[in-house]
Amino acid sequence: QKKKKMKGIGVIVIILIILIQQAHITHSRTCYEETTTKKRRNTSCEKPIYIIKYDWLGAKVVAAVVEIILRERMGYCVKTLDATVEESYPLLMDTKTSYIAPEVWYNTRRRELEPYINENKIFSAGEIGISARAGWYVRSEYLPHVEGLDDYRAYRKEETVKLFSTNATYPNGRFLDGPLSWVTYNKEIIDNLALRLTSVRVNESTAEEELVSLLTKTDFDEHNMKNLVLAWFWEPHEIFVKHKLKRVTLPQYSETCHSNYNLINDMVDCDYPSEKPQKLYSKPLITDHVNAKRLLEAIMLESSDQLQMMGNASFNSLTDFEAACFWLKTNEAKVNAWLPGFVLTDNIWLILLIVFGGALLLVCFFVILFLCGVILFIAYVRRTQAAKLIYAPRNGPMAVLFCEIHQLEELANYSENNTKRVISLFESIVRQLIPMFEGYEVKTPSTSFMIVFSSPEKAIQFAARAHEQALNANWPMHIMHLPYCKSVINQSGELLLRGPRLRIGIGYGYPNCVMDRITQQMDYFGLDVNKAARVEALATGGEILIDHAMSTHVMEFVEHDLRMRLDRLGEYQLQGDDGPYERIYRLHWHPYEEADKVNRVSIKATTRPNLVDNFKQMTNRDRMHAQHQMFEVMTNDDLAKTFSLLKMHMHDAQVDFDQGDEDEEDLPVEPFSEFL
């Protein structure tokens, strides 16, 4: 009997303990007073709603806001679940249980999430309203002592990276990266931008705390700078309330840079995208908890709201639940606006009555809307066509410009993927400059551009600016070692050439002009257009060539521009093999005044010493090229004199002309072909 009594008492004690724990769980996480808390709809919790809490503070406080409203203002049975983003994907695809993830950084994980959302496996309730962004950060107090730390190019310099190096990363600098479960592209960015950094991932379980601790440590000594901190971090975050961090400028984000192909092949080399975190949920929420779904769609927080909650949690010793509760009580009006007014399924007849009662009004509205749309579309088409033709010359003289990338075929044979990126960047540069200099894009044959200008001065300004943009463009790093893409620096240390070279030819004349009836665009053709194309074909990488007619119209402009000058290149046939020879000029533009020394071998056969010195410094192949260029612009008399001079110094220059043992007096002058 004693044993039975003790056993019964033990059972009672266990039951009491369980009830006390349940009461503690129920009431310890209560925000509102019991009088304002709505009675739970489903006391048995047969179909609870699970709120997924991610492992960073911003997501935790947002999850707490949703939890409190659903449980205490709407009476739902709500449970929370800690999980990583990857672990939440199967939960959000569950077809039997309702799950909510209130803050998911969609743009960063677009490649993973987009297929699920498109296939209706995971559902989105829209943006949460917070503006967020990840990136690279350093402490602002570093900047007065080390110049350029807020620019990624500084981390290619040895004197800079040694300030960030540790024993584990020497000679490279240390870059603090997120754990493996966080989606980052920092290692790819470092490799593709050729930065002297080593990515070091922080611990998975204490990632946020470790990053915050290192970015806010107070051991900085301006007289003994070492072990400085460069880290991947994100905004909004409570750290920005009390500490000043400076974002490091990376190459600008673009959809091309973050394309699926680049992400898969580790080719990302630009900044992170701006984020608008989204609210995701599983399918059962639609059928089992209609009002909860409507609440989730209505919730819109601002970045300042989240910062306030995170600041209270971090600096006022509040839990994430307490911080969310404090914010909810001080923003009652905003919260009340989120709450649904009625359950959709209980008011279906009222909705049907409204729909049928307004059907006639809707029909009239759409008819009027359709007519307005037709009128606006016609006006838009006409306005667009007029805007495209605003700079198109209709008659009179004009400058015709052809522009393309030199040696593009060799680049395509080397790397097809990088060639596509080069062409895309080249087209972006040209199309951005065309309206700036009042040009009109006629057509884009293959990978070159044909552009016409009413003003010849605008044409040469466009050409000079195009070279400048190409010089500073963000070309792919994988092609910069190629002979036709290497950087070229003069003796003064100025950058002359970098990346793929543009070649530009400009002609001036009276081309024929017609309007294409199908495209409603202007087209230009005729002898002057053909001449301009042949002028461009004579140019090499980094050159701007113009014909004689063009030079007469821009000579005065060039003389007054200290950055430009014209040099006579020679005389060429621009109208076929039987056509006359016409003078071609090379337009020099700073910093390209020495580009001709790199791309073209030129000889001035005017004085004996210059000729011999030039030939001595050339390879045999360059000498043959130089002879060809020199001879085709000389008269027969000049050729005879030059040949005599070359023969006289043939031994010193090591040039073999193989012309026998004829004396200088016996050299033939006519005709030119027999002389050669």
Side-chain angles (χ1 to χ4, degrees), residues 472-491:
N472 300 308
N474 187 23
W475 301 111
M477 294 295 296
H478 299 290
I479 66 170
M480 300 305 287
H481 69 282
L482 299 176
Y484 41 85
C485 296
K486 281 185 177 180
S487 298
V488 177
I489 302 175
N490 65 9
Q491 295 179 351

Side-chain angles (χ1 to χ4, degrees), residues 80-97:
T80 58
L81 180 67
D82 294 329
T84 64
V85 179
E86 288 79 6
E87 293 170 347
S88 68
Y89 293 162
L91 301 176
L92 292 169
M93 288 188 282
D94 194 304
T95 57
K96 296 182 179 180
T97 308

Side-chain angles (χ1 to χ4, degrees), residues 420-605:
K420 292 179 180 179
R421 295 179 61 188
V422 167
I423 293 173
S424 176
L425 186 55
F426 164 62
E427 292 177 350
S428 175
I429 291 171
V430 173
R431 289 200 170 101
Q432 182 184 8
L433 294 176
I434 288 174
M436 293 174 57
F437 295 96
E438 301 177 2
Y440 177 71
E441 180 183 343
V442 183
K443 61 184 74 171
T444 311
S446 183
T447 56
S448 63
F449 279 86
M450 174 183 172
I451 310 166
V452 294
F453 297 84
S454 299
S455 166
E457 292 83 1
K458 295 285 187 182
I460 63 172
Q461 287 179 303
F462 168 88
R465 183 64 66 85
H467 278 299
E468 179 185 10
Q469 295 285 352
L471 184 70
N472 300 308
N474 187 23
W475 301 111
M477 294 295 296
H478 299 290
I479 66 170
M480 300 305 287
H481 69 282
L482 299 176
Y484 41 85
C485 296
K486 281 185 177 180
S487 298
V488 177
I489 302 175
N490 65 9
Q491 295 179 351
S492 302
E494 297 173 332
L495 185 63
L496 303 180
L497 295 170
R498 175 184 169 276
R501 278 63 157 151
L502 305 188
R503 66 175 186 177
I504 298 175
I506 312 174
Y508 191 79
Y510 294 80
N512 299 319
C513 174
V514 294
M515 171 75 76
D516 191 303
R517 294 183 179 180
I518 298 177
T519 63
Q520 294 297 306
Q521 299 296 309
M522 302 299 292
D523 193 12
Y524 301 83
F525 58 92
L527 179 61
D528 293 318
V529 174
N530 296 337
K531 288 169 59 178
R534 287 170 179 162
V535 171
E536 187 254 359
L538 294 172
T540 61
E543 280 191 332
I544 305 171
L545 301 185
I546 64 175
D547 65 4
H548 181 69
M550 183 73 178
S551 68
T552 59
H553 287 82
V554 300
M555 186 69 72
E556 184 177 354
F557 178 81
V558 172
E559 289 177 352
H560 288 83
D561 193 327
L562 298 179
R563 305 177 71 187
M564 296 184 182
R565 61 184 175 87
L566 281 177
D567 283 345
R568 176 180 169 183
L569 181 64
E571 296 184 358
Y572 297 85
Q573 289 177 304
L574 303 179
Q575 302 180 33
D577 296 336
D578 299 330
Y581 283 84
E582 299 185 33
R583 291 182 182 177
I584 301 299
Y585 294 83
R586 183 193 294 119
L587 175 67
H588 291 266
W589 173 84
H590 182 80
Y592 290 102
E593 67 262 18
E594 298 191 22
D596 54 316
K597 297 180 181 178
V598 179
N599 293 284
R600 181 186 296 277
V601 181
S602 60
I603 303 176
K604 295 182 179 180

Side-chain angles (χ1 to χ4, degrees), residues 46-58:
E46 293 179 358
K47 293 183 178 181
I49 300 175
Y50 287 90
I51 308 294
I52 300 174
K53 295 174 63 176
Y54 295 133
D55 52 354
W56 63 89
L57 183 58

Side-chain angles (χ1 to χ4, degrees), residues 76 119 132 192 201 211-212 230-231 275 285 303 320 338-339 424 456 485 537 579 646 669:
Y76 281 104
E119 297 171 7
N192 294 329
R201 291 191 177 272
L211 288 172
V212 170
L230 170 66
E275 282 283 354
L285 192 72
S303 299
D320 54 297
W338 296 342
L339 296 173
S424 176
C485 296
L646 288 174
V669 176

